Amino acid sequence: MELIEGVAAVDDLDAFAARLGEIGDEHGVTVQAFDARYVVDRAHLARAVELADRALARGENVARDRAVEILLYAAGTRQIDRALELGVDEGECPAVVLVETDGESEDPVAAEGRAAAAVRDLDGPGRIEPGATLGEYDPDRVREYFEVSDAELAAVEGTLADAVRERVALLDVEK
């Protein structure tokens, strides 16, 4: 899994999303952009990929598209409209773009590298200006979105990031 961090400057969201999909198709990978203000860490996205792939393998997926299934798990919800809040939007926002092999490539590391380079070189409907964004989440935004209360944080050992990763894992239980 390769993650591209930076500020997304998106002029046309539909065209940007379509271009990310084309890059994925061209290189045999999945590409999904996230609003970094909701992504607590690399493990958050890695677990979402793992669980989405398991759901797809078992035929338990909600979405037909792997990128959307990953987004659902990262968001901890089965509601696509709600999960889309974790995606980037038009304008500028901190972003993390996930590039993950789909298992079809003979050389997954090279395929991810080529796709990541294509994402970094984007221009047109959107682009990613390099910069550190992973782990720079907005705690209030994350707590509100994932509905993590003060009582929950006080009751569990760990951090807000731990609570979010738990939400991702619990999505399987809620099915």
Side-chain angles (χ1 to χ4, degrees), residues 107-124:
D107 186 352
V109 173
E112 284 179 7
R114 287 189 302 272
V119 170
R120 287 184 187 98
D121 291 342
L122 276 173
D123 202 8

Side-chain angles (χ1 to χ4, degrees), residues 3-139:
L3 300 175
I4 296 102
E5 302 176 60
V7 175
V10 180
D11 300 324
D12 180 335
L13 184 58
D14 291 336
F16 179 71
R19 183 63 191 124
L20 292 180
E22 290 167 2
I23 290 170
D25 292 344
E26 290 167 13
H27 299 284
V29 299
T30 298
V31 180
Q32 179 64 55
F34 296 89
D35 182 328
R37 296 173 295 183
Y38 294 97
V39 178
V40 296
D41 56 19
R42 180 182 184 85
H44 177 184
L45 296 180
R47 185 72 171 145
V49 169
E50 176 187 340
L51 293 171
D53 284 346
R54 187 171 73 185
L56 287 160
R58 293 177 176 175
E60 297 171 351
N61 49 302
V62 169
R64 288 173 285 188
D65 182 79
R66 182 176 183 238
V68 176
E69 191 72 13
I70 292 168
L71 178 65
L72 288 168
Y73 273 93
T77 183
R78 305 310 292 157
Q79 302 299 316
I80 293 174
D81 288 344
R82 177 141 167 76
L84 288 172
E85 290 180 43
L86 264 66
V88 297
D89 207 350
E90 288 184 356
E92 289 190 1
C93 80
V96 177
V97 181
L98 176 141
V99 177
E100 170 68 21
T101 185
D102 60 11
E104 303 291 316
S105 175
E106 290 181 24
D107 186 352
V109 173
E112 284 179 7
R114 287 189 302 272
V119 170
R120 287 184 187 98
D121 291 342
L122 276 173
D123 202 8
R127 63 194 174 286
I128 307 293
E129 298 296 328
T133 58
L134 190 59
E136 299 295 323
Y137 61 91
D138 178 334

Side-chain angles (χ1 to χ4, degrees), residues 133-166:
T133 58
L134 190 59
E136 299 295 323
Y137 61 91
D138 178 334
D140 293 332
R141 182 183 298 258
V142 168
R143 286 185 64 181
E144 181 180 335
Y145 180 82
F146 287 98
E147 299 175 351
V148 178
S149 68
D150 290 336
E152 180 180 359
L153 277 178
V156 298
E157 288 187 33
T159 64
L160 177 58
D162 294 320
V164 169
R165 288 190 300 272
E166 181 73 13

